[in-house]
Amino acid sequence: MSKPKYSTWMMIVSLALVIMTACGPAATPTAAPQPTSAPPATSAPEATTAPTEVSPTVAPTEAPSGAANTLVFDSNIDDLITLDPAVAYEFSGVLVVHNVYENLVQFVGADLSNLQPSLAESWEVNEAGDNWEVTFHLRDDVKFASGNPLTADDVVYSFQRVISLNKSPAFLFTDIAQIKTDSIKAADPKTVVVTMPKTASPQAFLSILTFTVGGIVDSKEVQAHVSGDDFGSGWLLDHSAGSGPYAVDHWQRDVEVLLKANPNYGGAQPPLSAVLVKHVPESANQQTELETGDADIAQNLSPEQIAAVKGKEGVATTTGNSLLLFYVGMNVAVKPLDNVKVREALRTAVDYDGIINDLLSGNAKKVQNVIPAGLLGFNPDTPFQQEIEKAKALLKEAGQENGFTVEMLVPTGAGPGGVAWADLAAKLQSDWAQIGVTVDIKQVAQAELLGSYRAQKGQLVMILWGPDFPDPDANVGPFTDINAHSIAFRNSWDDPIAEQARAAALITDPTERAAAYEAITDYVLHNGPYVILYQPTQLFGLRSNVQGFAWNPMGYADFWTISK
Amino acid sequence: MNFLTLLLRRLVGIVAVMAGVSVITFAISHLVPADPVAAALGDHATDAQIAAFRAEYGLDKPVVDQYFIYVNGLLRGDLGKSIRTRRPVAADLRDFFPATLELSLAALLVSVLVGIPAGAWSAIARNRLPDHFVRVFSLTGGSLPIFWLGLILIGFFYGRLGWLPGGGRIDRFIEPPLSITGLYVLDSLLTSNIPALQSSLQHLILPAFTLGYFSTAVIARMMRSSMLEVMRQDYMLTARAKGLRLNAAVIKHGLRNALIPTLTIIGVTFGSLLSGAVLTETIFSWPGLGRYATASAISLDFPAVMGVTLLAAVIYPVANLLVDLGYHWLDPRIQHG
């Protein structure tokens, strides 16, 4: 009977261990209370925020850095697949990459209309026959995190890499800017010339370069890690080779990404020496971590949770803009949606204010044109609000006074802004029922919905769109041009307005360009196959000592401006 | 039948099960009317990108060819590449499985340590206060939704009292132990890393209890009824007649016999712990296989779904094998047929 005794002992010992540790003090130095008054942004945070009350039983030995110097950003980063700027095209990837790499040009903070210098101290656009020549003059003091100096060769390598890898964001270079690998040349170590055909928009290209796909990688460092023909993307998946304020320390899948300040960064060192983007999929836990002070910023709180944390000690809330548009596409290949009056009637019967105020608790902007607020050419006019009699009259003119039945595809789950797609669909269903239009809601997983939508198999399709780069062409092109094989195509809408849209993309004078877009979007508003519902607002919970946080509508924040 | 024959038979069984599972899962995942590529590349991908992606993953080939390519890879130990994470499925499983295994083992430990004594106690004190207490405890455990229990426990022990950490496997300012088995508690013991051991144990308590409560309840109920059955046996009467007190008789003669049916339940429970960890993992930000499987299924990532399913197809028979060996240890008369 010796065996059972041995295992009994093992059990007792294990049990004792469990109980002992359960009763011991929590070893989390992060449970330290946060100071109620914010330290000045410029002061060294270490001294002012050192935890005084709780002396941690465990010294953070190989700790990334102290809690006071680390920004903890709670988010659901399920979508993270890579940290390579040439491949990343998901929300979480973009958020991280933006803080690790620098671009030739940039938009600062939440502003998306004033292009600013970054790695390029100046640039010019010249005509050269059938081409545009965009010339960038690089700063000469820039070093990568590795210590290597940044030269024109790095820029050429970075852009060629995007095109050769041909991953998700590559079409921004190849299709929108219409450049090839031999379009990018280093004229001298500090000058880069990009040649693009006159059919592409230099303004759109410059906007694209502010986005993560335009991040400049350290070509020497990356080439040292190339495996086969992968251009180092296997290594850049979870390493970084940039010149930005932070560098990737590690990415533990489904757990966290830790960024540490880049000692070779050319600008001022960021106030917080580390950023922990922590994967917290359950928003209730983001809320608790925010309230206890374990998280500094929580990204995925619902409107109800934001209301619940408001006014709690040490917690503040803020909003950020997005460039997303929630809309319903109307496939004009389906009768009677081919009739422009029917489409106008559907637009006229929607209770937009009710959706925004009741369903979204006001966390959205009423936008009815295909360019969202925040981009050049945005038209704030909102001519539509529910007018049942007018909508009925329009249906009668279209010969549909008895109404009709139509199917609407709706994604499952909740869209950004926290409202369940099904609730939104039910609201539209009841609005349209008032003018005799019966909507059969068919709710399917978004992947399945996109399959049908792409194949022009939808009738009504409820979905959202966000521009790929901060330029009106990123919306107007897909929404008007059937040849772009995007939104207009999915709704079978072939309209000559596409030509005007293509022309507007090439206008270089901003005022002239904005005027052109105003005319185009107004035409699409009344003739196009879309009911634009709203532009959602992003909600954030943050500790009240967090300063300098500004959400960029393109889906990232500059971590290096944040202090606490 | 000796141990070796048993093992061989089980191995053949595992291979047969895997073959069947692979055909069925593959067929189902390819009959789904949705497109995994649309899910992976999203709304904005161009037709050319979609075509390139299809070619990269072999999705442009007929389904039967795809199956044989898959099986061919499988025989060489290649589980394919995940459509969602763009990584080899084997690497994903290696990352996520240890977390789930650690959580499930901890939950199993909780349920065995609590469930068996509670069940036995309940039987001895039948229809008295302790029995009522255990029965209410079991009924509650059997009916509480896991996500609710988890959120309440976090809210109370972490949010309100601050006694235990809220989520994750280890404190964010403590380096995880050197990976040997991937089980943090075991690895920190093996490397004598005391801070990591303490932190990982603390992080295990709430999720292990949350996940283990249901199985604790099941095991306690099973133990109670089998103990009641054993207490009616002649040898127990004999033991009592020879002057042994009830508790002594139960511990010396009853427990082992009553454990046999309970062991069956433990085996089954372990399988369900592994597969039932999804909600617990989500609530406790636990980077495990359950969440990986769910995310993969939602994005129609069939190589990943296949990988998880095949892993499960190995684990269940292995758990059963261990249970069989356990029978033999508890009662050497039991023959494996």
Side-chain angles (χ1 to χ4, degrees):
Chain A
M1 289 291 276
S2 62
K3 263 187 190 170
K5 268 182 196 158
Y6 178 68
S7 45
T8 316
W9 271 111
M10 282 293 287
M11 277 186 182
I12 292 169
V13 170
S14 327
L15 184 64
L17 251 169
V18 169
I19 292 169
M20 266 158 51
T21 45
C23 301
T28 48
T30 47
Q34 300 290 328
T36 43
S37 68
T42 47
S43 73
E46 176 88 68
T48 48
T49 57
T52 48
E53 196 182 298
V54 179
S55 64
T57 49
V58 180
T61 48
E62 245 290 89
S65 55
N69 282 330
T70 303
L71 178 78
V72 180
F73 188 92
D74 273 11
S75 178
N76 183 344
I77 55 169
D78 256 342
D79 60 337
L80 194 57
I81 54 170
T82 177
L83 303 178
D84 183 341
V87 186
Y89 208 57
E90 299 70 37
F91 291 109
S92 312
V94 164
L95 175 68
V96 173
V97 170
H98 172 72
N99 283 279
V100 172
Y101 294 90
E102 287 183 290
N103 300 46
L104 293 181
V105 288
Q106 64 177 338
F107 288 122
V108 175
D111 172 47
L112 292 178
S113 42
N114 296 301
L115 210 57
Q116 304 282 337
S118 182
L119 292 175
E121 55 191 6
S122 65
W123 61 93
E124 64 253 13
V125 180
N126 297 310
E127 295 194 47
D130 288 341
N131 294 315
W132 300 106
E133 262 184 17
V134 192
T135 307
F136 299 93
H137 304 283
L138 305 183
R139 268 165 43 204
D140 56 7
D141 56 341
V142 184
K143 278 186 177 157
F144 286 108
S146 64
N148 294 333
L150 187 150
T151 68
D153 288 340
D154 294 304
V155 177
V156 173
Y157 180 76
S158 301
F159 290 180
Q160 288 180 340
R161 208 176 157 262
V162 171
I163 296 169
S164 303
L165 278 170
N166 193 22
K167 296 298 183 186
S168 301
F171 78 100
L172 295 171
F173 279 18
T174 55
D175 294 13
I176 309 290
Q178 301 175 26
I179 54 175
K180 302 185 177 68
T181 47
D182 59 7
S183 315
I184 310 135
K185 299 233 158 64
D188 64 57
K190 291 293 157 203
T191 311
V192 178
V193 181
V194 179
T195 311
M196 51 196 290
K198 277 264 176 77
T199 47
S201 157
Q203 292 308 313
F205 178 57
L206 289 168
S207 298
I208 288 168
L209 290 187
T210 67
F211 195 52
T212 49
V213 68
I216 306 304
V217 302
D218 182 343
S219 60
K220 288 199 187 74
E221 183 82 5
V222 173
Q223 277 164 337
H225 293 95
V226 165
S227 148
D229 55 357
D230 79 339
F231 291 90
S233 65
W235 184 74
L236 280 182
L237 184 83
D238 48 11
H239 294 81
S240 67
S243 59
Y246 291 96
V248 173
D249 181 84
H250 69 253
W251 164 25
Q252 196 184 351
R253 280 170 185 73
D254 264 9
V255 177
E256 65 192 24
V257 178
L258 180 70
L259 305 178
K260 282 190 181 172
N262 164 14
N264 285 319
Y265 177 52
Q269 277 293 310
L272 297 173
S273 60
V275 177
L276 185 77
V277 179
K278 194 181 168 203
H279 181 46
V280 182
E282 176 61 47
S283 68
N285 288 351
Q286 292 192 8
Q287 184 186 340
T288 315
E289 296 203 355
L290 182 69
E291 287 173 0
T292 57
D294 281 354
D296 296 310
I297 300 175
Q299 194 186 4
N300 308 109
L301 300 187
S302 67
E304 295 79 35
Q305 289 177 307
I306 288 287
V309 299
K310 252 183 195 159
K312 287 209 174 160
E313 202 191 323
V315 181
T317 62
T318 189
T319 58
N321 290 323
S322 74
L323 296 175
L324 302 174
L325 288 178
F326 281 65
Y327 73 94
V328 175
M330 301 179 274
N331 190 344
V332 303
V334 176
K335 283 193 186 308
L337 300 174
D338 58 330
N339 189 319
V340 69
K341 291 206 165 118
V342 169
R343 303 202 294 267
E344 194 78 342
L346 290 180
R347 279 190 282 262
T348 309
V350 174
D351 174 18
Y352 301 88
D353 291 340
I355 290 174
I356 292 171
N357 297 328
D358 303 336
L359 278 181
L360 289 145
S361 324
N363 293 308
K365 192 174 170 66
K366 188 165 155 186
V367 171
Q368 296 183 340
N369 279 293
V370 296
I371 297 178
L375 291 184
L376 180 90
F378 166 63
N379 179 351
D381 285 355
T382 52
F384 294 108
Q385 175 51 29
Q386 191 172 49
E387 291 175 82
I388 297 298
E389 289 314 313
K390 188 177 166 191
K392 279 183 176 166
L394 281 162
L395 277 189
K396 197 172 176 190
E397 286 174 38
Q400 293 289 337
E401 62 266 41
N402 297 324
F404 57 92
T405 300
V406 67
E407 181 187 271
M408 180 159 72
L409 294 180
V410 178
T412 49
V419 65
W421 286 107
D423 293 349
L424 204 51
K427 169 71 177 155
L428 290 182
Q429 189 183 41
S430 81
D431 284 355
W432 286 332
Q434 295 181 46
I435 57 167
V437 175
T438 309
V439 176
D440 291 334
I441 294 176
K442 191 177 169 198
Q443 208 176 10
V444 292
Q446 192 150 330
E448 195 180 333
L449 179 140
L450 284 178
S452 305
Y453 194 27
R454 278 174 174 283
Q456 299 178 313
K457 284 184 192 148
Q459 297 184 6
L460 297 179
V461 176
M462 177 186 271
I463 190 74
L464 60 80
W465 177 264
D468 292 290
F469 52 98
D471 186 274
D473 188 40
N475 269 31
V476 173
F479 273 107
T480 58
D481 191 347
I482 194 162
N483 295 320
H485 274 253
S486 186
I487 309 175
F489 172 82
R490 292 169 200 172
N491 291 291
S492 319
W493 192 53
D494 190 0
D495 195 285
I497 193 73
E499 259 168 60
Q500 284 182 49
R502 278 193 290 268
L506 302 177
I507 300 173
T508 44
D509 177 60
T511 323
E512 200 186 316
R513 196 163 179 234
Y517 279 126
E518 191 156 335
I520 295 167
T521 52
D522 197 56
Y523 177 85
V524 177
L525 176 62
H526 294 288
N527 296 280
Y530 316 109
V531 187
I532 309 282
L533 299 170
Y534 61 88
Q535 184 179 348
T537 310
Q538 286 253 38
L539 302 171
F540 296 88
L542 68 172
R543 298 295 301 174
S544 43
N545 61 338
V546 171
Q547 307 277 314
F549 171 72
W551 188 248
N552 185 303
M554 283 304 285
Y556 43 70
D558 302 345
F559 289 146
W560 64 90
T561 62
I562 301 175
S563 63
K564 62 170 185 173
Chain B
M1 184 184 294
N2 64 24
F3 176 70
L4 208 64
T5 329
L6 173 72
L7 200 66
L8 272 177
R9 277 180 67 152
R10 286 300 164 88
L11 271 178
V12 173
I14 288 177
V15 172
V17 167
M18 282 179 79
V21 165
S22 75
V23 175
I24 293 169
T25 321
F26 202 89
I28 290 175
S29 54
H30 283 79
L31 288 174
V32 177
D35 186 0
V37 181
L41 293 184
D43 199 0
H44 296 209
T46 59
D47 294 345
Q49 280 174 334
I50 291 178
F53 200 86
R54 278 186 190 290
E56 187 182 345
Y57 283 87
L59 297 169
D60 48 350
K61 298 189 176 69
V63 176
V64 178
D65 290 10
Q66 285 185 47
Y67 179 71
F68 282 108
I69 291 169
Y70 183 80
V71 170
N72 194 16
L74 203 60
L75 293 176
R76 286 179 286 114
D78 178 7
L79 287 166
K81 198 170 152 190
S82 156
I83 295 176
R84 185 176 65 94
T85 67
R86 318 309 208 246
R87 294 210 311 158
V89 172
D92 280 344
L93 296 183
R94 215 169 24 239
D95 275 4
F96 296 125
F97 180 60
T100 298
L101 187 65
E102 179 167 49
L103 176 58
S104 306
L105 285 174
L108 188 70
L109 191 71
V110 169
S111 14
V112 168
L113 289 183
V114 178
I116 289 179
W121 187 34
S122 179
I124 295 168
R126 189 180 182 189
N127 288 335
R128 282 185 284 124
L129 196 61
D131 184 29
H132 296 313
F133 176 76
V134 171
R135 284 163 76 182
V136 169
F137 175 83
S138 309
L139 193 66
T140 323
S143 29
L144 274 187
I146 277 191
F147 68 90
W148 183 84
L149 179 65
L151 287 175
I152 293 294
L153 288 177
I154 285 197
F156 190 68
F157 287 100
Y158 165 66
R160 173 120 346 151
L161 300 176
W163 288 358
L164 289 168
R169 293 179 75 188
I170 194 160
D171 189 82
R172 68 190 59 150
F173 294 109
I174 292 175
E175 287 277 308
L178 189 73
S179 184
I180 299 167
T181 60
L183 311 184
Y184 279 8
V185 172
L186 197 57
D187 286 351
S188 30
L189 270 177
L190 291 174
T191 55
S192 319
N193 185 341
I194 302 299
L197 177 67
Q198 192 175 5
S199 181
S200 50
L201 275 172
Q202 280 173 344
H203 279 79
L204 253 180
I205 293 171
L206 288 183
F209 183 78
T210 305
L211 180 60
Y213 190 15
F214 179 78
S215 40
T216 307
V218 174
I219 289 173
R221 290 174 73 119
M222 189 68 208
M223 190 64 197
R224 178 179 181 273
S225 60
S226 62
M227 184 59 90
L228 285 174
E229 183 65 36
V230 164
M231 281 161 69
R232 278 196 291 270
Q233 299 294 320
D234 291 345
Y235 60 80
M236 289 296 283
L237 284 175
T238 312
R240 292 295 302 282
K242 280 161 73 183
L244 270 182
R245 280 183 300 128
L246 178 61
N247 287 352
V250 163
I251 290 166
K252 275 219 147 121
H253 302 281
L255 207 54
R256 246 186 143 169
N257 289 302
L259 269 177
I260 293 171
T262 312
L263 190 64
T264 316
I265 291 292
I266 294 176
V268 175
T269 308
F270 184 61
S272 70
L273 283 178
L274 276 172
S275 53
V278 182
L279 287 172
T280 316
E281 287 176 4
T282 306
I283 292 165
F284 289 94
S285 312
W286 197 266
L289 202 60
R291 251 171 54 205
Y292 175 72
T294 319
S296 305
I298 288 173
S299 48
L300 309 167
D301 180 359
F302 71 88
V305 172
M306 298 276 305
V308 175
T309 317
L310 289 177
L311 184 63
V314 175
I315 290 166
Y316 273 84
V318 169
N320 278 333
L321 179 67
L322 292 177
V323 166
D324 284 354
L325 296 176
Y327 287 151
H328 191 72
W329 175 71
L330 284 171
D331 185 350
R333 290 170 306 172
I334 292 178
Q335 294 295 310
H336 301 292

